[in-house]
Protein backbone atom coordinates (compact mmCIF):
# COMPACT_ATOMS: atom_id res chain seq x y z
CA UNK A 1 0.00 0.00 0.00
CA UNK A 2 1.34 3.41 -0.98
CA UNK A 3 1.88 6.01 1.73
CA UNK A 4 1.14 9.63 0.90
CA UNK A 5 2.16 12.74 2.82
CA UNK A 6 -0.62 15.38 2.82
CA UNK A 7 0.64 18.87 3.68
CA UNK A 8 -1.67 21.84 4.31
CA UNK A 9 -1.95 24.47 7.04
CA UNK A 10 -5.75 24.13 6.85
CA UNK A 11 -6.96 21.22 9.01
CA UNK A 12 -10.16 20.90 6.97
CA UNK A 13 -8.26 20.59 3.66
CA UNK A 14 -5.87 18.03 5.22
CA UNK A 15 -8.87 16.03 6.44
CA UNK A 16 -10.54 16.13 3.01
CA UNK A 17 -7.34 15.02 1.23
CA UNK A 18 -6.71 12.37 3.87
CA UNK A 19 -10.29 11.04 3.75
CA UNK A 20 -10.28 10.92 -0.07
CA UNK A 21 -6.97 9.05 -0.21
CA UNK A 22 -7.76 6.65 2.65
CA UNK A 23 -11.09 5.75 1.06
CA UNK A 24 -9.13 4.73 -2.06
CA UNK A 25 -6.85 2.47 0.00
CA UNK A 26 -3.83 4.72 0.51
CA UNK A 27 -2.08 5.17 3.82
CA UNK A 28 -1.89 8.89 4.71
CA UNK A 29 0.31 10.93 7.04
CA UNK A 30 -0.64 14.58 7.60
CA UNK A 31 1.70 17.56 8.09
CA UNK A 32 0.63 21.10 9.03
CA UNK A 33 3.32 23.00 7.11
CA UNK A 34 6.56 22.60 5.16
CA UNK A 35 8.74 22.36 8.27
CA UNK A 36 6.57 19.58 9.73
CA UNK A 37 6.46 17.83 6.32
CA UNK A 38 10.23 17.96 5.83
CA UNK A 39 10.76 16.51 9.32
CA UNK A 40 8.34 13.65 8.56
CA UNK A 41 9.91 13.06 5.13
CA UNK A 42 13.30 12.69 6.80
CA UNK A 43 12.01 10.08 9.24
CA UNK A 44 9.69 8.07 6.97
CA UNK A 45 9.54 7.20 3.25
CA UNK A 46 6.55 8.44 1.25
CA UNK A 47 5.45 7.28 -2.19
CA UNK A 48 3.89 10.64 -3.02
CA UNK A 49 3.59 14.10 -1.45
CA UNK A 50 0.58 16.42 -1.90
CA UNK A 51 1.36 19.91 -0.63
CA UNK A 52 -0.39 23.24 -0.35
CA UNK A 53 1.58 26.20 -1.73
CA UNK A 54 0.79 29.05 0.66
CA UNK A 55 1.70 28.00 4.20
CA UNK A 56 3.44 29.62 7.18
CA UNK A 57 7.01 28.60 8.20
CA UNK A 58 7.86 26.94 4.87
CA UNK A 59 5.73 27.22 1.74
CA UNK A 60 5.04 24.40 -0.71
CA UNK A 61 7.56 25.53 -3.33
CA UNK A 62 10.38 25.67 -0.74
CA UNK A 63 9.29 22.27 0.55
CA UNK A 64 9.43 20.77 -2.95
CA UNK A 65 12.95 22.21 -3.50
CA UNK A 66 14.06 20.77 -0.14
CA UNK A 67 12.52 17.36 -0.86
CA UNK A 68 14.10 17.20 -4.33
CA UNK A 69 17.49 17.78 -2.67
CA UNK A 70 17.04 14.55 -0.66
CA UNK A 71 18.19 11.33 -2.42
CA UNK A 72 15.00 9.47 -1.39
CA UNK A 73 12.75 12.08 -3.00
CA UNK A 74 14.57 12.70 -6.28
CA UNK A 75 11.95 10.73 -8.24
CA UNK A 76 8.98 10.82 -5.85
CA UNK A 77 5.80 12.41 -7.29
CA UNK A 78 5.30 15.80 -5.62
CA UNK A 79 1.92 17.42 -6.28
CA UNK A 80 1.00 21.02 -5.51
CA UNK A 81 -2.49 21.71 -4.17
CA UNK A 82 -3.41 25.37 -4.40
CA UNK A 83 -6.07 27.99 -4.94
CA UNK A 84 -3.65 29.79 -7.25
CA UNK A 85 -4.07 28.86 -10.87
CA UNK A 86 -1.66 31.51 -12.16
CA UNK A 87 0.96 30.53 -14.72
CA UNK A 88 3.73 32.12 -12.65
CA UNK A 89 3.15 29.91 -9.60
CA UNK A 90 2.88 26.81 -11.81
CA UNK A 91 6.20 27.75 -13.40
CA UNK A 92 7.83 28.24 -9.97
CA UNK A 93 6.45 24.86 -8.93
CA UNK A 94 7.80 23.15 -12.04
CA UNK A 95 11.21 24.75 -11.58
CA UNK A 96 11.25 23.57 -7.96
CA UNK A 97 10.55 20.02 -9.14
CA UNK A 98 6.77 19.63 -8.78
CA UNK A 99 5.33 16.71 -10.72
CA UNK A 100 1.85 18.19 -11.07
CA UNK A 101 -0.77 20.65 -9.97
CA UNK A 102 -4.23 20.32 -8.40
CA UNK A 103 -6.41 23.41 -8.00
CA UNK A 104 -8.49 23.91 -4.83
CA UNK A 105 -11.28 23.38 -4.20
CA UNK A 106 -10.36 19.97 -5.56
CA UNK A 107 -12.66 17.29 -6.86
CA UNK A 108 -11.93 13.99 -5.00
CA UNK A 109 -12.09 11.96 -8.24
CA UNK A 110 -9.66 14.37 -9.91
CA UNK A 111 -7.27 14.07 -6.95
CA UNK A 112 -7.35 10.27 -7.14
CA UNK A 113 -6.92 10.24 -10.93
CA UNK A 114 -3.92 12.57 -10.67
CA UNK A 115 -2.34 10.48 -7.88
CA UNK A 116 -2.83 7.27 -9.88
CA UNK A 117 -1.35 8.89 -12.98
CA UNK A 118 1.81 10.21 -11.28
CA UNK A 119 2.39 7.04 -9.27
CA UNK A 120 1.98 4.91 -12.40
Amino acid sequence: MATILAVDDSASIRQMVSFTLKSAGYSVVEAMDGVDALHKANTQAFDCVVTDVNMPNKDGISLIKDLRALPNYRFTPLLMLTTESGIEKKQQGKEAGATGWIVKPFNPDQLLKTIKKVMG
Side-chain angles (χ1 to χ4, degrees):
M1 177 196 303
T3 304
I4 298 173
L5 179 60
V7 191
D8 202 302
D9 55 323
S10 160
S12 58
I13 298 284
R14 277 199 315 271
Q15 285 163 357
M16 277 170 52
V17 170
S18 191
F19 177 79
T20 300
L21 296 174
K22 284 177 180 171
S23 66
Y26 294 104
S27 172
V28 181
V29 173
E30 296 179 20
M32 65 184 88
D33 61 32
V35 173
D36 188 26
L38 195 58
H39 172 72
K40 288 177 174 160
N42 275 310
T43 55
Q44 184 180 349
F46 295 100
D47 301 293
C48 182
V49 178
V50 178
T51 181
D52 183 23
V53 172
N54 299 313
M55 297 181 288
N57 304 322
K58 182 185 286 285
D59 66 50
I61 290 174
S62 301
L63 172 62
I64 286 172
K65 282 182 185 159
D66 290 349
L67 287 173
R68 284 291 181 231
L70 301 173
N72 295 355
Y73 290 92
R74 210 163 279 151
F75 304 108
T76 304
L78 305 177
L79 296 171
M80 297 177 75
L81 183 64
T82 184
T83 50
E84 298 200 32
S85 54
I87 296 292
E88 200 175 297
K89 276 284 184 205
K90 282 185 184 175
Q91 194 55 44
Q92 285 178 331
K94 271 198 176 121
E95 285 167 13
T99 311
W101 196 268
I102 300 164
V103 177
K104 288 195 266 190
F106 69 91
N107 167 323
D109 291 339
Q110 187 61 47
L111 176 65
L112 292 173
K113 267 188 206 144
T114 305
I115 296 262
K116 278 191 183 117
K117 192 164 88 182
V118 299
M119 290 180 59

